[in-house]
Amino acid sequence: MRKWMCVPMMTLCLLLAGCAGGGGGEKTADAAALRAPYMNMTGCTMEAAVTWSEGEQLWETEVLCEYVPGGETTVEVLSPETIAGVRAVITGEELSLEYEDLCLGAGTLSAQEVSPMACLPRLMSALRDGWLLEENTEEWNEIPCLRLTVDQSGPQDGKILSTLWLNTADGTPVRGEIAVEDEIILTADFTGFSFYDTMDPGDQAGQEASPAA
């Protein structure tokens, strides 16, 4: 085995490791309106800083996610530099990891073992299919948001709650948290988001004006 693999592989273990911590309300018009585009989307592109803790150590990684409901979702690490380029592929409940010439089977994503690499896909899944428990307006970093908490507990009866702050101006996610048994295990601060079927009018006009290749 080549030596350059050692440091990335140690960090990958943390990315792949399951993070575990030791009735619902009726949807209102506001929550339903903001969730509707996510339920109807063909896919989306997201960038976020995902953080989690291992003991007393706090870890953070920036990731780019191409989320496709019911299809193949990919998550690529942008930083830290030691593992930049690592790519997770999620199909259904199966997760595999690709790095350089490696392709590692990473097993099954069980309900209570939420991998940091699966943080963004799970938040999107919860937003689409989770049972709405709480809804209130709240600012995050001075951005007016609708804060939603949804339940997406698994078959093993462990309580998994996802909380998302959606920008009230355009419905895009600003912040996300995943809690297992009332302990927050993963957080995501979004730095970019776009639906697959959404194109900026200026970009569309430029594309139409460009000559065919």
Side-chain angles (χ1 to χ4, degrees):
M1 181 178 291
R2 290 175 291 177
K3 292 183 178 179
W4 60 265
M5 294 169 56
C6 297
V7 173
M9 290 302 294
M10 290 176 63
T11 313
L12 294 184
C13 291
L14 293 171
L15 284 171
L16 288 171
C19 301
E26 182 181 355
K27 299 176 184 177
T28 68
D30 287 341
L34 289 185
R35 294 179 76 181
Y38 296 92
M39 295 178 179
N40 298 324
M41 69 179 175
T42 58
C44 64
T45 300
M46 303 172 277
E47 289 188 31
V50 176
T51 59
W52 72 100
S53 61
E54 289 284 335
E56 297 182 354
Q57 180 69 47
L58 183 67
W59 298 86
E60 177 177 307
T61 182
E62 294 183 46
V63 297
L64 170 67
C65 177
E66 299 286 345
Y67 176 76
V68 179
E72 183 177 276
T73 290
T74 62
V75 183
E76 181 178 348
V77 177
L78 302 178
S79 70
E81 185 177 353
T82 52
I83 56 170
V86 170
R87 185 171 176 264
V89 180
I90 302 171
T91 305
E93 290 296 312
E94 297 297 321
L95 184 148
S96 60
L97 202 66
E98 300 175 355
Y99 184 62
E100 297 279 338
D101 55 350
L102 295 177
C103 182
L104 305 176
T108 299
L109 301 176
S110 71
Q112 282 71 48
E113 296 178 354
V114 185
S115 163
M117 291 292 277
C119 178
L120 299 188
R122 186 168 286 275
L123 285 172
M124 288 297 103
S125 176
L127 188 56
R128 285 167 50 82
D129 305 321
W131 185 256
L132 182 62
L133 297 178
E134 298 177 9
E135 170 193 356
N136 61 280
T137 56
E138 182 177 298
E139 287 193 356
W140 187 269
N141 288 339
E142 301 182 350
I143 299 175
C145 296
L146 186 66
R147 178 182 179 274
L148 306 176
T149 296
V150 296
D151 187 345
Q152 202 180 36
S153 297
Q156 288 80 24
D157 296 325
K159 184 169 67 173
I160 300 180
L161 301 182
S162 297
T163 301
L164 292 106
W165 285 256
L166 302 180
N167 190 326
T168 55
D170 57 14
T172 56
V174 176
R175 164 85 172 184
E177 296 177 351
I178 297 177
V180 174
E181 301 297 346
D182 298 321
E183 179 181 350
I184 296 173
I185 61 168
L186 292 168
T187 65
D189 290 294
F190 290 83
T191 56
F193 183 92
S194 63
F195 291 109
Y196 278 179
D197 50 2
T198 300
M199 181 177 289
D200 182 84
D203 293 341
Q204 186 173 17
Q207 187 179 70
E208 293 173 352
S210 298

